[in-house]
Amino acid sequence: MRTNKGAWWVGLVLAALLLVVGWVYLALGSTGFLNPLSALLGSDGAGTQVLVELRLKRGLMALGVGASLALSGAAFQALLRNALADPFIVGVSGGAAVGGTLAMLPCATLLAAGTGAAHAAVVFGGSFLGALAATVLLFGMSWVRGMVATNHLLLMGVVFNFFASAVVMFLKSLLVGHRLQEVLFWLMGTLASEAVPWVLVVLVSVIALLGTLVLSKEGQRVDALAVGEEFAHGSGVDPERLKRRLFFVAALLVAGAVALSGFVGFVGLVVPHMLRLVVGASHKKLFPLCALGGALFLLGSDLASRLVSPWLGTQLPVGVLTSLIGGPLFIVMLARAQRREVVL
Amino acid sequence: MRLLLLFLVVLAGACGRTQDVAQAPEAAGEHRSNLAELTSGPYDRIVSLTPNMTEMVAALGAGARLVGRTPFCTYPPEIADVPVVSGGVEPDVEALLRLAPSLIVAQKGIEARLPLPELRRAGIQVYYSKVETADDVMRTLRELGQLTGQTQRAAELTTGIAAQLEQVRVAAGSTGGMRVLMIHGHRPLIGAGPGSWGDELIRLAGYQNALGEGVAPYATLDAEWVVQLGAQVLVDTSAAYEEGDPDVFWSFLTRQGSSAPKLVYWGDELVLRPGPRVGDAVNMLRTRIEAIRQQGREP
């Protein structure tokens, strides 16, 4: 039996690790070591600029996106009662991909006449709207006799993703040159922040924070839902209302994360499962820990990606690295869970 | 021009170039093309599958023999009426056969996408050559000269290019090697690393490529990496087609104060095409960088 005390300890360890990794993230980079404190206090002119405009912005992106992905992964796993559910399974991400790719078409970029930051905002907006449109569409299609049919939602999400993937491939075939490269890198998952305005980074961080608060508040009710809808009814929980809330909050988290950084894989799958093995299935504990764990996982992965890139001779997209780490890690976790006869 | 950039980047990948090969002397030329496999020309119906080959054929005075080109072949303007037969990287074989050329010319790597035995049976020869350095350009011009029967013109062209490059080399002798970084795209940030055409131009112009050994030919960089390189001049070849004001994009660099590199925005295709205008490209690169070095900004 896992206790609340254990979850607090895990939370403290994650928070401490996040502080340490965050400090190293700010201190180390291609330009060498910077003392984050003196750079932040402004006593190191060029260093302050590198720290605030390059490392801090990118680091905040990693925190917001990582937390959003891990939280939405945990939420979808509970909603769909499916261990393989991740932020990209129910089609919301497919809508984001179509919206973002459409926004990178030459005609759409006319909207961004002016600055590169406006272009980034148009791509973010296109992707975010695409995700929201897919959310509404999928929700509407899985709404059967006043209920969210989670099986329908899952199946339609998978099918919609295939459809969206075909649309994205078609759009890619229309693109050439730098626009094609931009789409490819975005789809791979990137935290390149040069052209991303601060306001978008803050927006996604705020969505992640609000998502953490809302989902954590619903934690106990989600536990009842995870057992089954009848059990939830018996426990005084309105399962339909809860499913709607879970779906929309998770979809909003995915929309923000994908719109900002493309498809960063495995964060939403590995982090919730890893934490579930440590602190158990209580969502009241799991959701806030997922936010911390997801932020830590992506921040650490991006730190590794940034530090290893000069040795590789080219930048390693962080989405590639999270998949390279996450894939084997998930298999190891699965094998250990099987040995301990624990269900993921 | 951005089409051309993608085309060249894909081509560089297709060629699977290594540093050793890139530095290989012209004497190793026989390994860098398939001239020895071909029957001697002159060939009278030519299809070009790469823009630099199109330029070379036209520069040799054989432009009138071109019966097909790619949409990326935009220079010289006289070839505008030549039919477009292929997207370049994925040649349309049916369209090629319909034109009944006697010779197809392409950069090395494209031939892997052509059904060579079938083309030979149809009486179509395929010439391919690795063109990644100025020496490659001059060797290919000579070889194309043989295939088109324009050996005299080829000799004139290569002598002219060699003289231009020598002139720049002599002029560069006293100024020392400034660190120059060439950028080919903003999203993602792509830099010309060792082994790229941009690297060749930087070195021929008498400068030092800020992206040193161990970096991929077309490396994806992050902003901090660009800052760390400490380039004195940054040549942005993508400023002409990237959305937004390049000055705003590069503000993270220019706010570095006195250590910030001088910016040169050069969207001319001349810089991206390994062809017979290599002497002009090197000359222009040097002129623009020297102007900015001496005056602090571009005239």
Side-chain angles (χ1 to χ4, degrees):
Chain A
M1 176 85 184
R2 293 173 177 100
T3 61
N4 272 334
K5 205 173 163 188
W8 273 108
W9 274 112
V10 174
L12 277 175
V13 169
L14 285 177
L17 279 173
L18 196 58
L19 280 176
V20 172
V21 174
W23 191 88
V24 176
Y25 190 95
L26 292 178
L28 289 181
S30 322
T31 49
F33 177 81
L34 278 176
N35 184 341
L37 210 56
S38 62
L40 273 177
L41 293 174
S43 57
D44 178 2
T48 302
Q49 198 248 333
V50 166
L51 187 92
V52 175
E53 287 194 31
L54 304 180
R55 295 184 191 173
L56 189 62
K57 187 158 76 165
R58 191 174 168 128
L60 273 180
M61 270 175 81
L63 294 180
V65 170
S68 296
L69 291 176
L71 267 174
S72 55
F76 280 133
Q77 283 155 19
L79 173 68
L80 302 170
R81 291 202 288 279
N82 187 323
L84 274 178
D86 81 345
F88 308 137
I89 202 164
V90 290
V92 178
S93 57
V98 171
T101 311
L102 277 171
M104 289 180 212
L105 291 179
C107 51
T109 55
L110 288 177
L111 291 170
T115 65
H119 173 73
V122 168
V123 172
F124 181 92
S127 176
F128 199 79
L129 288 176
L132 294 187
T135 303
V136 172
L137 179 75
L138 290 162
F139 181 79
M141 288 167 74
S142 59
W143 185 254
V144 182
R145 288 190 286 276
M147 291 167 58
V148 180
T150 46
N151 282 347
H152 281 211
L153 184 63
L154 181 60
L155 284 172
M156 272 184 292
V158 170
V159 171
F160 183 80
N161 270 342
F162 280 119
F163 173 77
S165 166
V167 174
V168 169
M169 277 193 277
F170 169 69
L171 294 175
K172 280 198 291 191
S173 73
L174 300 178
L175 292 170
V176 286
H178 74 292
R179 287 187 208 283
L180 182 58
Q181 280 174 338
E182 187 182 357
V183 171
L184 290 176
F185 269 75
W186 180 66
L187 291 175
M188 271 193 254
T190 174
L191 290 171
S193 59
E194 299 86 29
V196 177
W198 266 101
V199 63
L200 297 182
V201 179
V202 172
L203 177 67
V204 170
S205 303
V206 169
I207 291 175
L209 195 64
L210 292 176
T212 310
L213 293 175
V214 172
L215 289 177
S216 300
K217 193 166 163 263
E218 299 288 359
Q220 265 180 335
R221 282 187 279 271
V222 175
D223 289 343
L225 181 70
V227 176
E229 291 185 25
E230 283 182 14
F231 180 82
H233 259 303
S235 309
V237 174
D238 180 350
E240 291 314 313
R241 198 172 153 202
L242 183 59
K243 283 194 290 185
R244 285 198 299 271
R245 188 169 290 183
L246 266 184
F247 179 62
F248 281 109
V249 171
L252 195 65
L253 288 164
V254 175
V258 174
L260 193 63
S261 64
F263 288 73
V264 180
F266 275 95
V267 181
L269 191 62
V270 168
V271 173
H273 282 307
M274 199 187 279
L275 288 169
R276 211 174 271 123
L277 285 175
V278 179
V279 300
S282 162
H283 288 84
K284 193 178 177 183
K285 295 181 257 175
L286 192 64
F287 283 137
L289 291 178
C290 274
L292 276 176
L296 176 64
F297 184 69
L298 194 54
L299 193 72
S301 298
D302 192 46
L303 174 66
S305 157
R306 282 168 55 221
L307 293 180
V308 85
S309 291
W311 277 276
L312 288 177
T314 191
Q315 206 189 7
L316 183 64
V318 72
V320 174
L321 189 63
T322 55
S323 298
L324 286 174
I325 297 170
L329 197 62
F330 189 75
I331 292 169
V332 169
M333 271 167 32
L334 198 62
R336 289 190 65 181
Q338 273 176 334
R339 271 207 302 275
R340 290 162 52 188
E341 295 182 356
V342 176
V343 179
L344 272 183
Chain B
M1 193 190 61
R2 56 181 185 250
L3 307 182
L4 180 66
L5 174 61
L6 175 75
F7 190 67
L8 291 174
V9 170
V10 171
L11 215 56
C15 292
R17 179 179 189 193
T18 66
Q19 194 60 26
D20 292 336
V21 174
Q23 305 296 336
E26 199 186 350
E30 63 272 18
H31 303 300
R32 293 171 74 79
S33 83
N34 69 332
L35 182 72
E37 297 169 13
L38 304 182
T39 53
S40 57
Y43 294 88
D44 57 353
R45 289 179 67 80
I46 302 170
V47 168
S48 170
L49 296 183
T50 41
N52 58 340
M53 289 284 185
T54 305
E55 268 200 59
M56 285 192 244
V57 170
L60 287 165
R65 288 187 234 169
L66 281 169
V67 293
R69 65 177 173 102
T70 73
F72 309 104
C73 302
T74 52
Y75 189 90
E78 300 85 78
I79 56 135
D81 293 334
V82 176
V84 171
V85 291
S86 135
V89 178
E90 281 298 338
D92 180 347
V93 179
E94 262 190 55
L96 284 176
L97 290 170
R98 212 167 34 242
L99 286 169
S102 49
L103 180 69
I104 294 172
V105 296
Q107 176 121 339
K108 193 166 193 292
I110 298 282
E111 83 283 358
R113 296 171 182 272
L114 290 171
L116 294 177
E118 285 78 3
L119 289 174
R120 273 191 211 109
R121 276 200 295 277
I124 302 169
Q125 299 291 315
V126 177
Y127 166 75
Y128 53 83
S129 173
K130 214 169 213 179
V131 190
E132 294 168 335
T133 64
D135 284 343
D136 283 336
V137 170
M138 290 188 276
R139 171 186 50 76
T140 306
L141 277 168
R142 281 192 287 274
E143 292 178 354
L144 282 171
Q146 287 176 44
L147 296 171
T148 55
Q150 300 286 92
T151 48
Q152 181 60 35
R153 177 71 186 134
E156 287 167 18
L157 283 171
T158 52
T159 307
I161 292 170
Q164 274 181 306
L165 296 181
E166 178 61 14
Q167 199 178 4
V168 174
R169 196 189 63 77
V170 170
S174 58
T175 53
M178 275 172 46
R179 288 168 62 78
V180 175
L181 174 64
M182 192 175 278
I183 292 290
H184 290 317
H186 292 179
R187 285 178 294 266
L189 264 171
I190 293 186
S196 65
W197 181 241
D199 173 70
E200 175 79 348
L201 295 183
I202 290 169
R203 286 188 300 103
L204 288 172
Y207 305 112
Q208 192 189 338
N209 190 352
L211 281 172
E213 294 303 311
V215 177
Y218 293 92
T220 307
L221 312 171
D222 67 11
E224 196 175 338
W225 195 348
V226 173
V227 173
Q228 177 268 330
L229 288 169
Q232 290 156 289
V233 174
L234 185 147
V235 180
D236 185 354
T237 68
S238 58
Y241 55 81
E242 287 280 5
E243 287 79 16
D245 182 350
D247 282 335
V248 174
F249 180 81
W250 292 115
S251 59
F252 68 86
L253 266 185
T254 48
R255 280 206 288 271
Q256 291 285 311
S258 58
S259 63
K262 307 278 186 239
L263 297 173
V264 174
Y265 299 135
W266 189 10
D268 198 309
E269 65 183 21
L270 197 64
V271 72
L272 300 171
R273 196 172 282 183
R277 292 182 290 165
V278 55
D280 297 338
V282 171
N283 218 345
M284 191 179 287
L285 182 63
R286 182 155 187 91
T287 304
R288 293 189 64 171
I289 290 177
E290 285 307 299
I292 208 166
R293 191 173 70 90
Q294 285 160 15
Q295 299 171 25
R297 60 183 177 81
E298 285 212 84

